[in-house]
Amino acid sequence: MDFSGQLLSWYKANSRDLPWKHTADPYKIWLSEIILQQTRVEQGIPYYMRFRERFPTVEALAAAHIDEVLRLWQGLGYYSRARNLHLTAQQVVEQYRGIFPTTNQGLLALKGIGPYTAAAIASFAWNEPIPALDGNGYRILSRVFGIEAPPDTQRGKKQFTEVAAELLPPKHAGAFNQALMDFGSMVCTPRPVCDRCPLQSGCYAFARRAIELFPAKRRRITVRARYFHYLYIRRGAFTFIRKRTGKDIWHSLYEFPLIETDRAMSAKKLFATPEWKALFAQHPEHINRISSALKHQLSHQTIHAVFYTIDITETPEWIANEYLQIRQDDLDEYSMPRLLTLFLENKPTLSKSCSDDT
Ligand code: SF4
């Protein structure tokens, strides 16, 4: 038997008897879905029953005072859910005469209903063949089919939805989506009970003893710290720049001569480095000014920069060979990273942080 057949036959024998499963009323399904967001089923059941009793219809909920809705919600947390519930009920009453749109697309037009909730309502109420994947669905599909994309990424969501859409039996869409939820809550849990699992023989993660690797977690971006010492070298009205090349940030932008160190370094220590000595060995320099440290945040890098304003009377060979000599007044004709333009504008933020650019 294939995945869907096995899942549905397991569901037939093991389905949880939950109060919202006995209805095709989109209002009640919606109510249960909102209550169950960030709430365990056992905790959500008494709330669902209380809401259903006090507000049997969407009109009753819409007409209630928000204070009463919030009072009934007390203990569930995330109160924005209750406020949105109330607002959406009012929208359904005012704009749709109390009748929920009857398709996934139509439901998505309601303010408080996102893709998962719309798909759940459409498939449970009208058997619309559309996958409704929550954390349970992602967990099962990632393990059984070895899907390596993290489900909380664009790429991952697309891949999971495509796989689920292929598996979804059109005539049993609601049951399939419910089955994924129940199976993920009872068998393929975060700590799964694989020895009771009917999908075991075809499970990618089980076969490779790699269950803990699925679903994949989004990789945390590691931010690299870099330490730049820029030399704003002046000779009379002139200064020196060059275009950045190579596989690094700010490709093709212009910059001043740069010494990069692998850690933060005081001016005194920098002047003692072989790099600094090599640059100015033949021609004495005059350090006119040293800026305070500027922290510049890029998406994957934090640049800690200090600018040294240096006056020279003769041009060292290394500058003549590698740098453009331009008038300081003409600097704004060259594209430079924002970090450097900030320095040139002598912004007061120079000693503080500035934000991203690439
Ligand atoms: Fe989940 Fe284990 Fe079954 Fe694979 S074998 S689907 S990991 S319960």
Side-chain angles (χ1 to χ4, degrees):
M1 208 187 294
D2 63 359
F3 174 89
S4 309
Q6 282 174 320
L7 185 70
L8 284 174
S9 78
W10 173 89
Y11 184 63
K12 213 169 164 191
N14 299 283
S15 156
R16 289 180 297 182
D17 184 21
L18 300 170
W20 45 84
K21 282 190 180 171
H22 304 294
T23 179
D25 179 348
Y27 166 65
K28 294 187 179 119
I29 296 169
W30 168 64
L31 196 58
S32 70
E33 285 300 325
I34 302 298
I35 288 173
L36 290 179
Q37 286 169 7
Q38 287 135 338
T39 302
R40 282 177 302 107
V41 166
E42 301 72 39
Q43 192 196 359
I45 290 174
Y47 283 89
Y48 171 77
M49 299 308 284
R50 280 201 288 275
F51 264 82
R52 216 179 70 166
E53 198 181 334
R54 170 62 191 86
F55 308 121
T57 60
V58 68
E59 286 86 353
L61 177 58
H65 193 284
I66 180 64
D67 288 349
E68 188 184 1
V69 178
L70 291 172
R71 251 198 323 278
L72 220 55
W73 193 268
Q74 221 160 16
L76 273 181
Y78 301 98
Y79 283 84
S80 58
R81 283 187 291 164
R83 281 188 285 271
N84 286 335
L85 190 77
H86 191 230
L87 284 174
T88 307
Q90 290 176 333
Q91 191 188 4
V92 172
V93 170
E94 285 160 21
Q95 293 177 19
Y96 297 84
R97 291 180 292 126
I99 299 163
F100 276 76
T102 55
T103 61
N104 175 59
Q105 275 307 319
L107 289 163
L108 282 170
L110 295 173
K111 265 188 223 140
I113 297 192
Y116 164 75
T117 308
I121 299 171
S123 62
F124 299 164
W126 308 296
N127 209 32
E128 185 172 330
I130 181 159
L133 290 175
D134 65 354
N136 292 309
Y138 290 132
R139 193 165 53 249
I140 299 162
L141 296 182
S142 69
R143 288 171 174 171
V144 174
F145 296 99
I147 301 173
E148 286 173 359
D152 58 347
T153 58
Q154 286 277 63
R155 183 172 65 96
K157 278 203 175 71
K158 188 164 173 281
Q159 203 174 337
F160 278 97
T161 308
E162 282 168 5
V163 170
E166 264 185 47
L167 297 168
L168 190 95
K171 288 190 181 150
H172 305 286
F176 177 83
N177 285 336
Q178 299 260 24
L180 279 176
M181 288 171 204
D182 282 6
F183 191 74
S185 305
M186 297 160 73
V187 182
C188 197
T189 56
R191 289 186 181 183
V193 273
C194 301
D195 52 353
R196 283 204 279 119
C197 176
L199 304 173
Q200 194 199 81
S201 62
C203 178
Y204 179 96
F206 182 83
R208 287 159 185 79
R209 297 174 190 272
I211 288 159
E212 67 286 354
L213 299 181
F214 296 92
K217 305 242 174 356
R218 190 202 282 255
R219 248 186 306 146
R220 289 191 57 199
I221 295 171
T222 48
V223 178
R224 174 181 163 210
R226 298 178 73 175
Y227 302 91
F228 285 7
H229 308 269
Y230 271 120
L231 315 182
Y232 177 41
I233 300 175
R234 303 185 300 192
R235 184 177 178 189
F238 294 94
T239 188
F240 306 90
I241 59 172
R242 75 170 167 189
K243 199 180 220 182
R244 283 181 70 89
T245 54
K247 283 189 182 166
D248 199 354
I249 54 169
W250 302 332
H251 189 274
S252 296
L253 299 184
Y254 286 87
E255 67 177 357
F256 302 126
L258 169 68
I259 297 174
E260 181 172 356
T261 53
D262 58 4
R263 68 187 89 95
M265 197 171 275
S266 68
K268 197 174 159 197
K269 282 197 174 148
L270 185 74
F271 299 157
T273 59
E275 288 92 335
W276 183 280
K277 286 182 177 164
L279 295 181
F280 296 107
Q282 309 295 320
H283 302 276
E285 82 284 13
H286 171 67
I287 313 286
N288 186 292
R289 182 180 162 216
I290 302 173
S291 78
S292 37
L294 173 61
K295 190 172 158 196
H296 189 69
Q297 194 62 54
L298 305 175
S299 52
H300 292 71
Q301 302 186 16
T302 305
I303 310 294
H304 301 270
V306 178
F307 288 83
Y308 295 77
T309 304
I310 301 166
D311 291 320
I312 57 174
T313 50
E314 281 179 80
T315 306
E317 208 177 307
W318 63 272
I319 294 187
N321 289 343
E322 295 174 38
Y323 288 82
L324 275 176
Q325 175 175 308
I326 62 162
R327 298 186 69 81
Q328 291 161 38
D329 289 348
D330 294 339
L331 272 167
D332 56 4
E333 290 174 16
Y334 295 84
S335 318
M336 295 185 136
R338 183 162 159 67
L339 174 65
L340 275 73
T341 56
L342 273 175
F343 163 74
L344 290 168
E345 289 162 11
N346 205 11
K347 287 257 165 73
T349 50
L350 195 57
S351 60
K352 303 198 182 84
S353 295
C354 62
S355 62
D356 197 5
D357 74 319
T358 51

